Amino acid sequence: MEILACPKCGTDNIVKSGVIKDRQRYLCKSCNYYFTVNKLGKKIDVYYVTKALQLYLEGLSFREIERIIGVSHVTVSNWVKEYKIKKPTHTDYHPTYKIFNHLELVEFLKNKEQLSGAGMIITELGDKFMMIKWERFKG
């Protein structure tokens, strides 16, 4: 017999509560949540959630994050809403980003001229590295 747990609170204090569309319905006695089965949906690694939220805070758009990480821009938008992330206003800075492999990153960092005049952060992104650079708007 399969032991179920509440998908909302995680306790195993559940009882059967009828059948809907030929599927057993359950009630969690701890939080009064009704559910049919333990849904094993597509779960995205927390690493990618964290990276997406970091990129959002750095000023990248949802679609830019989608192209970089490979997660739907709607999913990224939902994470921002779920975690109540507020983007700070960057009126005088413009973030740009580049994706490098290891050797490209080493070559880029050798040139001191590219390192001055802006703030930057380098973060690992799978087998590549992403550099986010903030430059002042000119004008």
Side-chain angles (χ1 to χ4, degrees):
M1 186 169 161
E2 182 182 337
I3 299 174
L4 296 173
C6 174
K8 190 171 182 181
C9 70
T11 66
D12 60 355
N13 188 14
I14 57 174
V15 293
K16 289 183 178 182
S17 182
V19 176
I20 294 180
K21 295 184 182 177
D22 297 324
R23 290 169 53 181
Q24 180 65 55
R25 187 174 189 209
Y26 298 93
L27 168 66
C28 175
K29 298 293 262 179
S30 299
C31 67
N32 290 328
Y33 181 70
Y34 287 93
F35 61 100
T36 53
V37 293
N38 276 345
K39 184 177 180 184
L40 296 174
K42 205 171 159 187
K43 185 80 172 154
I44 297 176
D45 190 345
V46 176
Y47 171 82
Y48 292 104
V49 176
T50 304
K51 286 293 180 189
L53 295 176
Q54 286 173 340
L55 295 175
Y56 176 74
L57 285 171
E58 299 304 335
L60 276 66
S61 72
F62 294 140
R63 290 198 187 264
E64 288 173 316
I65 297 168
E66 175 182 38
R67 285 189 286 273
I68 293 167
I69 295 185
V71 176
S72 164
H73 64 278
V74 175
T75 301
V76 175
S77 172
N78 289 338
W79 290 338
V80 168
K81 290 176 190 168
E82 178 182 347
Y83 294 105
K84 297 176 179 65
I85 304 295
K86 300 285 185 221
K87 186 188 284 193
T89 56
H90 296 294
T91 55
D92 55 349
Y93 290 98
H94 174 65
T96 58
Y97 63 92
K98 292 181 183 173
I99 308 291
F100 296 108
N101 65 31
H102 182 260
L103 293 176
E104 292 169 335
L105 180 62
V106 169
E107 286 301 314
F108 180 85
L109 294 175
K110 283 182 182 177
N111 186 347
K112 279 192 171 186
E113 291 176 10
Q114 295 180 9
L115 302 178
S116 63
M120 73 175 65
I121 186 170
I122 298 170
T123 184
E124 180 187 11
L125 201 61
D127 62 341
K128 301 220 183 284
F129 297 90
M130 183 164 109
M131 181 212 47
I132 302 171
K133 191 174 181 181
W134 299 271
E135 300 178 74
R136 287 197 177 269
F137 284 117
K138 303 209 171 152

